[in-house]
Amino acid sequence: MRLPKITSVIVYIILISIALVGMLAYAQASDAPALPSYFYGKAVYNGKNVPVNSIITAKIDNEKRGSIKVDVAGFYGDEKSDKKLGVTGSRSSLGKNIEFYVKIPKLQEIKATQTSKWQTGTETKLDLTFNGQEIEDNSRERK
């Protein structure tokens, strides 16, 4: 009588182990969020420093993945502090192009000439140059 009880316990342990391994494999294969890529550097538009209170935004596949407010004219983020442009992503974002845009108060968004490839957990100094028409933005922005 003891043998069938031990056998059934062993079978249950094996089944539970298989289920746990399957769940672990599924969790690793899913598109879970990863550590952001961080950027900082100089920011110039049409030969001028990007002004204070401008917003620099990072996009992957035209989807906003992070933004930062310019606190010092001509610079976004800071090499020596944790204030950087964090760009979020997941496993499916690896190697995709990041495009950068600047929204200067009262002007429409301007695209940077530089791009970068998204990688998880990186910190990169990337000087950004924005060239484009300075078109007045007549839309109503929400603050």
Side-chain angles (χ1 to χ4, degrees), residues 22-129:
M23 289 188 316
L24 180 62
Y26 175 77
Q28 288 179 341
S30 69
D31 202 25
L35 292 173
S37 288
Y38 292 99
F39 295 88
Y40 63 92
K42 295 178 183 177
V44 175
Y45 83 102
N46 295 340
K48 302 175 269 190
N49 286 336
V50 169
V52 172
N53 293 326
S54 298
I55 303 294
I56 295 178
T57 302
K59 298 179 182 180
I60 298 175
D61 294 335
N62 212 30
E63 178 184 323
K64 180 180 171 183
R65 298 294 184 96
S67 62
I68 189 169
K69 186 170 93 173
V70 174
D71 292 330
V72 177
F75 294 91
Y76 72 102
D78 182 7
E79 178 180 15
K80 296 179 181 170
S81 76
D82 61 352
K83 184 166 175 55
K84 294 175 178 57
L85 171 54
V87 183
T88 60
S90 59
R91 290 183 189 270
S92 65
S93 303
L94 285 171
K96 286 193 173 185
N97 277 333
I98 304 169
E99 295 178 328
F100 299 91
Y101 297 82
V102 66
K103 175 67 176 89
I104 298 168
K106 299 183 182 174
L107 295 180
Q108 290 184 3
E109 202 171 59
I110 302 171
K111 185 177 176 181
T113 57
Q114 296 78 13
T115 61
S116 186
K117 298 281 187 192
W118 191 86
Q119 298 295 320
T120 182
T122 59
E123 189 173 295
T124 305
K125 180 179 189 289
L126 181 65
D127 295 338
L128 297 175
T129 304

